[in-house]
């Protein structure tokens, strides 16, 4: 689905999109709110945590695991698959790392296929069950197993890794920019713009690889057919023709949602609605339940994982006044 071109791309998207649009995602608000509060319950009394492992990772993982139809007990295994999936995007892998990523990817495909077999025998309201038992490509034929595996593979990875990165980066920006945390705490309705401005400034996915299928020219640069391109669409989020003082995190920016973090057009990120909802619910609860939220002194170096495509912090240590 991710690499297909029109008109096939739209036909695949039509099968998955209803689960992840703003309207489809809204049906999961109760589930998301429950998971957010359960996670905060685990550490609110302690007064500090490492945010990535305590919250930013488990929230989207639990949500997408339930939605897709996997078992929560399989989360450790699924997390291994996710990390192996994004490993090649880092670039510069050793031979051993390349083999590990490939073998783990195949293992993930077999795991998806086994789950598909379970859903054929025992249908439910999950995404995998729908794709196996009800979905029709172009409204005509059932999907083949390899098509389902590919769709599920992309939906699962896209449904947890990038939201983890977005949650962490926005938390960092909120606490690092003077006045933002206090403004959001005083007026929770500003969480929505907090999330959009975070996505603009620190897009979790900075671009996408595509191949030119015809000779073309962009901005005076000739691109021969067959060229491998990395489209850095997140650069558009720092375009001063669209965003005044683009390097500044501005909670009052009125057009933050015009960012390119989820791309645009037909290839707009399928999970955009779900990710936005998870982030909005998360920051609404976090800001309310963790008073005097701040960086833990002398614990953060704010380093990021080396990666060509993804923008992700390694860790983020936070403190607050425990309730």
């Amino acid at each position: 689905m991710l690499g297909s071109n029109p008109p096939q791309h739209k036909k695949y998207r039509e099968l998955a999109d209803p689960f992840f649009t703003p309207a489809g995602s809204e049906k999961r608000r109760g589930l998301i709110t429950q998971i957010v509060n359960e996670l905060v319950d685990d550490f609110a009394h302690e007064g500090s945590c490492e945010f990535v492992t305590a919250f930013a990772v488990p929230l989207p993982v639990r949500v997408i695991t339930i939605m897709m139809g996997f078992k929560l007990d399989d989360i450790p295994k699924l997390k291994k698959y996710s990390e192996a999936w994004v490993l090649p995007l880092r670039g510069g892998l050793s031979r051993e790392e390349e083999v590990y990523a490939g073998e783990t990817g195949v293992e993930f495909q077999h795991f998806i296929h086994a789950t598909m077999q379970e859903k054929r025998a025992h249908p439910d309201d999950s995404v995998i069950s729908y794709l196996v038992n009800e979905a029709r490509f172009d409204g005509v034929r059932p999907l083949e197993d390899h098509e389902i595996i590919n769709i599920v593979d992309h939906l699962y990875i896209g449904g947890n890794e990038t939201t983890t990165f977005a949650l962490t980066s926005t938390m960092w920006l909120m606490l690092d920019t003077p006045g933002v945390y206090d403004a959001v705490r005083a007026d929770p309705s500003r969480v929505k713009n907090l999330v959009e401005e975070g996505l603009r400034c620190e897009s979790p996915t900075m671009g996408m690889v595509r191949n030119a299928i015809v000779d073309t020219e962009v901005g005076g640069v000739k691109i021969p057919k067959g060229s491998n391109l990395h489209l850095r669409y997140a650069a558009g989020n720092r375009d001063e023709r669209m965003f005044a003082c683009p390097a500044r995190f501005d909670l009052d920016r009125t057009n933050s949602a015009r960012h390119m973090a989820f791309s645009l057009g037909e290839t707009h990120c399928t999970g955009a609605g779900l990710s936005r909802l998870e982030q909005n619910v998360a920051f609404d609860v976090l800001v309310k339940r963790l008073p005097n939220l701040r960086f833990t002194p002398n614990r953060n170096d704010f380093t990021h994982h080396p990666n060509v495509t993804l923008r992700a912090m390694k860790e983020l240590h936070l403190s607050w006044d425990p309730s």
Side-chain angles (χ1 to χ4, degrees), residues 261-316:
F262 296 118
S263 190
L264 290 173
E266 186 173 314
T267 55
H268 180 259
C269 175
T270 299
L274 179 64
S275 181
R276 279 189 165 107
L277 180 59
E278 289 178 321
Q279 293 178 65
N280 274 270
V281 172
F283 279 103
D284 184 65
V285 172
L286 289 165
V287 169
K288 288 178 180 176
R289 294 193 57 186
L290 304 179
N292 194 22
L293 190 59
R294 57 199 183 272
F295 295 131
T296 302
N298 305 315
R299 292 297 306 276
N300 293 296
D301 57 16
F302 306 109
T303 57
H304 289 68
H305 290 284
N307 200 292
V308 174
T309 298
L310 303 177
R311 177 74 169 159
M313 296 190 74
K314 291 184 176 181
E315 59 183 14
L316 189 63

Side-chain angles (χ1 to χ4, degrees), residues 180-310:
V180 171
Y181 168 66
D182 291 335
V184 175
R185 187 165 176 81
D187 182 4
S189 69
R190 307 190 75 178
V191 165
K192 182 176 181 180
N193 216 48
L194 172 77
V195 169
E196 298 299 337
E197 183 71 345
L199 288 165
R200 184 192 71 82
C201 288
E202 292 285 327
S203 296
T205 304
M206 306 300 288
M208 191 66 66
V209 175
R210 302 295 286 175
N211 295 310
I213 60 174
V214 296
D215 292 330
T216 188
E217 184 174 314
V218 178
V221 178
K222 292 184 178 181
I223 302 174
K225 177 181 178 180
S227 297
N228 185 256
L229 308 174
H230 200 278
L231 308 181
R232 303 293 289 183
Y233 49 74
N237 296 342
R238 301 299 181 101
D239 190 338
E240 61 187 10
R241 295 169 297 179
M242 175 63 71
F243 305 105
C245 300
R248 185 179 71 215
F249 184 86
D250 186 356
L251 190 63
D252 295 317
R253 196 181 299 278
T254 58
N255 66 340
S256 295
R258 295 290 302 276
H259 61 73
M260 294 283 290
F262 296 118
S263 190
L264 290 173
E266 186 173 314
T267 55
H268 180 259
C269 175
T270 299
L274 179 64
S275 181
R276 279 189 165 107
L277 180 59
E278 289 178 321
Q279 293 178 65
N280 274 270
V281 172
F283 279 103
D284 184 65
V285 172
L286 289 165
V287 169
K288 288 178 180 176
R289 294 193 57 186
L290 304 179
N292 194 22
L293 190 59
R294 57 199 183 272
F295 295 131
T296 302
N298 305 315
R299 292 297 306 276
N300 293 296
D301 57 16
F302 306 109
T303 57
H304 289 68
H305 290 284
N307 200 292
V308 174
T309 298
L310 303 177

Side-chain angles (χ1 to χ4, degrees), residues 77-90 93 97-108 157 161:
K77 185 184 299 184
L78 289 162
K79 186 60 182 171
K80 181 187 78 170
Y81 297 151
S82 295
E83 291 172 349
W85 198 99
V86 302
L87 187 62
L89 300 179
R90 191 186 78 193
L93 300 187
E97 289 173 322
E98 289 180 348
V99 171
Y100 170 77
E103 290 179 342
T104 306
V106 172
E107 183 182 333
F108 186 27
I157 305 303
E161 293 286 346

Side-chain angles (χ1 to χ4, degrees), residues 105-117:
V106 172
E107 183 182 333
F108 186 27
Q109 292 174 349
H110 284 284
F111 181 81
I112 294 170
H113 190 258
T115 304
M116 289 163 52
Q117 301 301 90

Side-chain angles (χ1 to χ4, degrees), residues 10 13 27 33 49 52 55 105 118 126-127 130 144 155 163 168 184 209 213 234 255 262 272 305 322:
K10 183 179 180 180
R13 289 287 297 264
K27 298 176 182 178
T33 303
C49 76
V52 177
F55 188 87
E118 293 177 11
S126 67
V127 176
Y130 170 77
E144 297 182 17
L155 288 176
T163 300
T168 309
V184 175
V209 175
I213 60 174
N255 66 340
F262 296 118
H305 290 284

